[in-house]
Amino acid sequence: MNIYRELARFSIEELVWASALDWKIIVRGLTYEEESQLKEGDLEKLAFVLEAYYSAALFENLRFRQLFLSRLQPIRLSTLANELTTKAFYDPKIDSRNLSNLPWHAESKIVAVFGEELGVGSEYLPLSIDKKTLIEYIEPVDPLPELFTYQEEVIQKTLGLLKKGGNAFLVQLPTGSGKTRVMMESLIRHWNEASGKGLVKSVLWLAHSSELLEQAIDTFKSVWTWKGYERIRIVRMYGSYNPKEKDFERAFIFCSLQKIGRMGANRRGLLGVIGAQTSVIIIDEAHKITAPTYKIAINVLSKGNKLSLIGTTATPGRAIAKYKANYELASLFGNTLVYPELGKNPIRKLREIGVLSIIEHEQIESDVQFLGVVGEENGAGADFSNTTLKTISRSRLRNELIVRLIERQVRENNPAIVFSCGLEHSKSLCGALAIKGIRASYIDHTRSKGARRRIIESFKEGRNDVIINYGILSTGFDAPRIRSVIITRPTTSIVLYSQMIGRGLRGPKVGGNERCKVIDIKDNFEKYGDVEEVYDCFRDFWEE
């Protein structure tokens, strides 16, 4: 089914009704002429805008479910209502409305109706094929590209510390330089050696999001199939995945920090069981480990167990002005920082060997004048508040400038990732680009994991040229297609800023591009300078 064509079969009034909850946000990003155009008669253009705006999440909007269900014959609607809601009203509007209110998940029978009777493609449905298994068994198979010298150096340093056991350290590698691959190589070599001596215990990998965890699992699979000596279990423990006690023995466990944070401080509970079965804990993007609940959980896991605690990050600090938080992070990881010896300018060296791309900076002034930083907290290190970001995001003139910049990048064949000022900003930019014929999608935490995954895949595979993001893809997202990074969100956080730039850092030797444009709205570059400065800026906090 061509969703764009199917949407164009409805009337403008029906489409505006279905998108009512989002309509004001959609038109906020348009010029007054474009807004009028959509309302007054360009049905095909409106259908294109809505297809781009909702993308794989179209039917997460129950009004669109109701619209499509209304295509069924009244007698069929009544039959379905009897079967699935236990009561039919023999009124197509009421029956389709009640059916649209049924739960929208893979096991719901209404999903089968959309696929089998309405012909909706699987990319728009929460089919079970999208779900990962709680436990997987991985067999050794294929080779991977050879490691770089600096990667092997970090692996050897990591293995040396792992052999000692019961210690803590943090591994720092720039975004795009293969941090996850390096860690998986280290862990698997350590596992193979321990297994040969009959000393192997489970490895626990912690991260903040399902996207980060799934990417880590993909890397683990690739490395294990080449370097693993035995059959191994992957255990998922995040979202709806809830393994049992027996599942934690001799496994690679991939768990969300939120999940362990909710387990509390009960040493006799599940955390205690996991800790007793584990020899190594890895915290991905470790600079974010600030919540007391996470620290309590780590203490419970470690209590009475001789295990190694490893952090990984490109930026081993919280914020330049947050001295106490930076020292606390260093202390948590034993004031031990592991990094490759790449000379006086590590970033430049990695560019020279093709691992990182060359950043081409472009700073664009907008009409918006910041009268001062409105922070989420008082004192040094405060970033712009959500209220300030929302005010900035609603400037039509500024948004028109941003849309023109994105248009230019698409015309120059530079697929772009755009960092917006908020959820509404992502949506309004997406609508404004779509009305100009540019295929863009936005991603945020309000969309289901399945929809987010499909939107990311669509961008990676070239079905759209722009992905707009707020709060999801600043870490753990790599797409070789990215040739431009457009930062519309002002920030005083050197960590966040470097992470946003990092989405375009992957160089030609690792499947990326030789050059990447970074277009910055307003004045971030004046604050931070180049990525080269960011890499070393927290080093002093790790010196005892």
Side-chain angles (χ1 to χ4, degrees), residues 37-57:
Q37 190 179 59
L38 287 186
K39 286 183 177 179
E40 291 174 2
D42 197 335
L43 180 58
E44 290 201 355
K45 187 162 282 189
L46 176 56
F48 184 85
V49 168
L50 294 178
E51 180 199 26
Y53 180 86
Y54 288 102
S55 190

Side-chain angles (χ1 to χ4, degrees), residues 165-300:
N167 53 6
F169 57 96
L170 188 140
V171 175
Q172 182 193 14
L173 280 167
T175 300
S177 64
K179 174 164 52 71
T180 307
R181 164 84 186 273
V182 166
M183 290 311 304
M184 291 306 178
E185 288 270 356
S186 303
L187 294 170
I188 289 169
R189 292 187 199 181
H190 179 69
W191 177 285
N192 289 338
E193 183 176 345
S195 180
K197 297 176 181 178
L199 301 173
V200 72
K201 296 181 76 175
S202 292
V203 173
L204 177 64
W205 185 285
L206 299 172
H208 294 79
S209 70
S210 60
E211 282 85 2
L212 279 173
L213 289 164
E214 284 299 334
Q215 287 171 26
I217 289 171
D218 288 343
T219 302
F220 173 77
K221 289 179 183 178
S222 297
V223 180
W224 186 269
T225 55
W226 184 24
K227 298 291 183 71
Y229 290 169
E230 61 186 88
R231 196 173 186 233
I232 189 70
R233 281 190 303 167
I234 288 173
V235 178
R236 288 178 170 86
M237 189 176 175
Y238 53 90
S240 60
Y241 300 117
N242 297 295
K244 307 298 183 185
E245 289 187 13
K246 62 181 178 60
D247 299 322
F248 298 121
E249 186 177 356
R250 287 179 62 93
F252 269 74
I253 306 162
F254 292 85
C255 177
S256 68
L257 281 160
Q258 294 87 340
K259 189 78 105 176
I260 66 159
R262 288 194 293 267
M263 291 182 184
N266 183 3
R267 292 188 175 89
R268 296 182 178 180
L270 197 57
L271 273 184
V273 172
I274 297 170
Q277 297 280 6
T278 300
S279 62
V280 183
I281 298 174
I282 303 92
I283 304 174
D284 197 10
E285 303 296 345
H287 59 274
K288 294 184 177 181
I289 183 97
T290 56
T293 52
Y294 299 162
K295 292 179 180 178
I296 290 170
I298 297 297
N299 287 335
V300 172

Side-chain angles (χ1 to χ4, degrees), residues 87-125:
K87 186 174 183 180
F89 287 85
Y90 300 95
D91 181 321
K93 287 186 177 180
I94 298 175
D95 287 336
S96 61
R97 183 190 64 203
N98 290 345
L99 287 166
S100 71
N101 277 293
L102 290 170
W104 188 250
H105 55 72
E107 290 73 30
S108 178
K109 292 182 179 179
I110 197 64
V111 170
V113 172
F114 275 78
E116 296 168 9
E117 299 187 41
L118 291 170
V120 174
S122 61
E123 66 270 27
Y124 292 93
L125 303 178

Side-chain angles (χ1 to χ4, degrees), residues 281-510:
I281 298 174
I282 303 92
I283 304 174
D284 197 10
E285 303 296 345
H287 59 274
K288 294 184 177 181
I289 183 97
T290 56
T293 52
Y294 299 162
K295 292 179 180 178
I296 290 170
I298 297 297
N299 287 335
V300 172
L301 287 164
S302 306
K303 187 72 173 180
N305 303 308
K306 187 181 180 181
L307 52 77
S308 295
L309 176 66
I310 309 173
T312 72
T313 185
T315 49
R318 292 292 300 157
I320 290 295
K322 293 185 177 180
Y323 299 104
K324 182 180 179 182
N326 294 335
Y327 282 120
E328 285 178 352
L329 180 69
S331 177
L332 178 65
F333 292 101
N335 291 98
T336 304
L337 192 61
V338 174
Y339 54 88
E341 299 297 335
L342 290 167
K344 293 182 178 180
N345 196 319
I347 301 298
R348 186 176 300 168
K349 178 64 176 179
L350 292 174
R351 284 172 177 161
E352 288 173 359
I353 64 176
V355 171
L356 299 183
S357 62
I358 297 170
I359 297 286
E360 297 177 348
H361 292 147
E362 185 175 350
Q363 182 181 345
I364 305 295
E365 294 290 339
S366 75
D367 64 301
V368 178
Q369 299 295 317
F370 302 130
L371 300 178
V373 174
V374 181
E376 299 288 2
E377 57 186 355
N378 295 321
D383 203 355
F384 291 93
S385 69
N386 290 334
T387 301
T388 299
L389 291 174
K390 182 176 285 189
T391 300
I392 294 167
S393 75
R394 289 184 173 181
S395 166
R396 282 210 181 206
L397 290 175
R398 187 176 190 269
N399 287 339
E400 287 171 10
L401 168 66
I402 293 167
V403 170
R404 288 197 301 272
L405 290 171
I406 297 170
E407 276 189 287
R408 189 187 76 194
Q409 292 307 303
V410 173
R411 283 198 307 270
E412 294 175 358
N413 194 30
N414 293 325
I417 181 169
V418 180
F419 290 92
S420 73
C421 295
L423 306 186
E424 287 190 11
H425 197 213
S426 293
K427 295 175 180 180
S428 61
L429 289 177
C430 184
L433 290 166
I435 201 172
K436 295 180 181 298
I438 296 171
R439 291 193 174 273
S441 297
Y442 75 88
I443 189 168
D444 62 53
H445 73 273
T446 64
R447 293 191 148 172
S448 69
K449 293 175 183 176
R452 296 204 302 259
R453 186 160 59 248
R454 285 166 171 158
I455 289 167
I456 292 170
E457 288 171 357
S458 181
F459 176 78
K460 288 182 175 180
E461 294 168 6
R463 294 195 297 275
N464 61 46
D465 292 318
V466 182
I467 187 165
I468 307 168
N469 165 71
Y470 178 74
I472 296 290
L473 302 179
S474 59
T475 57
F477 172 72
D478 291 305
R481 290 189 71 237
I482 294 175
R483 292 199 182 97
S484 59
V485 179
I486 301 173
I487 302 175
T488 77
R489 175 207 167 126
T491 180
T492 62
S493 168
I494 191 170
V495 174
L496 175 59
Y497 184 70
S498 64
Q499 288 168 349
M500 291 190 289
I501 290 179
R503 298 310 102 210
L505 281 180
R506 187 177 292 274
K509 287 291 183 67
V510 288

